[in-house]
Structure formats: structure tokens, C-alpha cells
Amino acid sequence: NINRPFSFHMELTDKCNARCVQCERNFIDKDGVLKERPELWKTEITIGQFKSIFKNYQKQTSNLTFCGNFGDPLFAKDIFEITDYSYTNVLTPRGDIQINTNGGYKSKEWWSEYGRLLKDKDHMIVFGIDGLEDTHHLYRVNTRFDKVIENAKAFIDAGGWARWSFIRFGHNQHQEDEARQLAKKIGFASFETSNTQRFHKN
């Protein structure tokens, strides 16, 4: 029924700062070294392209989800402008945005500004934080736990809504309760867990 509001799930970029083990953007070579796939385009949807994509869907979308198989949405250079444009031109008056991110990119000042942009709008930023300081980086390679927490706190303190997404692994599952308490202390709106679907062959 094309008269009902649309819902779109978009991958804005295939760029990312992390090298998560067994993420589709990475591979383990014959020597056992974790590497980035050379065939990645390392590009993104620009604000101009985004406007063109949605030119026929003005005010007709109830939900936009920005989450990728290859990239982190925060690496799209126009993410701020895309977010702002989505609320003013694409979404219905009660429409919302969800963004999934590792949270380790950009400064705390940028995250504060982003929180202020979203403060009075329906949204949820899902931070992938898989453990605590001594375990998070074991899967989220190239990210720093303290940096992710700093960014999340800046976003929340500025009025943003955030969810802590915790993937259970053998190396971090004993920390779930402690992570849940930390999330509550920082001000995360919710805490979700899932069992990894990676490593199913081993």
C-alpha cells in the first residue's frame, strides 16, 4: 500500500574506523592477519545524492535506519546535514531515525552538537559496546573503550537518546551485569544484549 508511510534501511558509507573480527569489510589472510578488503569503494552518499533519492518521498517516511554491513554511518561526511534534512523534508511529523555506530569516531564536541540537533526529535543512537575497558577492543578492533564512552556521554548529556548494544562473547559475557550498571549510570535509555552469530564454523 503506497499510501502508507515508508520505512528505509540505508547504508550511507562503506568507510569505518574499526576492524571488527569477521565483519564483512574485513578478512583474515592465509597468514592469520586481519585485513581490510581491498575491493571496498570507501565512499559515501552525499547530501546531494540523498536529496535526489528522496525527492519523491517528501514527508512520507515513518522511519529511517542508518546501519551498514560494511561501514559506520558516522563516516558519511554529510551525516549531520543528512540527519537535519531527513527531519525537515523526508520524515512524517512523528517519524524517527535510528543509527547504529561503534561510537569511536569524531570528537566529544561533535557528539554534543549532534545530541543538541536530535534533542527534541524521535531518534535512537545504538552504540555497539561489547565489553568493558579490558575486553571491548578484542572484537571492536581499532576502537578505544574510553573514547566510545566519552562520546556516548557527551551525546546523552546534550539531550540525545542512546542504547548500549552488547554482543556476548566468551571473553566478555562475565561483564554483562557490570556493563548494564555502567550504562544506567551514564544515562543510556536502554541496554540490549545478543549472542554472537559470528564464528559459527568454530
Side-chain angles (χ1 to χ4, degrees):
N1 181 355
I2 62 171
N3 294 315
R4 295 180 62 185
F6 294 96
S7 178
F8 292 95
H9 183 154
M10 301 187 69
E11 180 156 26
L12 292 176
T13 181
D14 64 352
K15 297 178 181 179
C16 188
N17 59 314
R19 190 160 290 174
C20 301
V21 182
Q22 290 202 352
C23 170
E24 290 296 328
R25 68 177 289 106
N26 306 315
F27 73 102
I28 299 175
D29 71 10
K30 62 183 178 181
D31 297 321
V33 178
L34 185 65
K35 294 182 177 179
E36 188 178 78
R37 294 190 183 279
E39 63 267 28
L40 292 169
W41 288 12
K42 295 184 180 179
T43 188
E44 66 268 299
I45 293 174
T46 65
I47 181 60
Q49 291 168 327
F50 189 83
K51 289 179 179 180
S52 178
I53 291 168
F54 285 97
K55 65 182 179 181
N56 295 322
Y57 301 99
Q58 300 291 291
K59 301 289 186 179
Q60 290 180 265
T61 301
S62 60
N63 171 262
L64 281 170
T65 297
F66 298 137
C67 177
N69 289 316
F70 295 96
D72 189 302
L74 271 296
F75 257 77
K77 63 184 179 67
D78 293 336
I79 182 63
F80 202 101
E81 292 79 4
I82 286 172
T83 303
D84 188 44
Y85 181 81
S86 296
Y87 282 107
T88 56
N89 294 277
V90 178
L91 292 166
T92 61
R94 299 190 66 179
D96 67 271
I97 289 178
Q98 176 175 308
I99 299 177
N100 292 60
T101 178
N102 66 60
Y105 184 55
K106 298 189 180 292
S107 67
K108 64 179 182 180
E109 289 77 18
W110 185 92
W111 278 100
S112 289
E113 187 177 0
Y114 201 53
R116 288 191 291 272
L117 171 67
L118 294 175
K119 182 177 180 180
D120 298 318
K121 301 175 177 65
D122 289 331
H123 69 278
M124 183 60 70
I125 306 299
V126 181
F127 287 82
I129 312 174
D130 305 319
L132 298 175
E133 189 167 9
D134 60 331
T135 57
H136 168 74
H137 64 283
L138 297 178
Y139 180 72
R140 302 276 175 177
V141 178
N142 287 355
T143 67
R144 289 181 17 235
F145 177 80
D146 59 337
K147 174 65 173 173
V148 176
I149 294 298
E150 179 182 73
N151 288 344
K153 189 174 187 307
F155 176 74
I156 293 168
D157 289 348
W161 285 81
R163 178 187 304 146
W164 182 318
S165 178
F166 183 104
I167 302 175
R168 296 187 188 100
F169 296 99
H171 62 258
N172 72 359
Q173 58 188 0
H174 64 288
Q175 297 176 323
E176 181 179 330
D177 288 343
E178 187 177 350
R180 190 183 298 274
Q181 291 302 312
L182 179 59
K184 184 177 180 180
K185 180 180 179 180
I186 293 171
F188 279 88
S190 58
F191 183 95
E192 67 178 10
T193 59
S194 60
N195 295 323
T196 177
Q197 296 182 31
R198 313 282 186 177
F199 313 108
H200 53 86
K201 293 180 181 179
N202 294 306

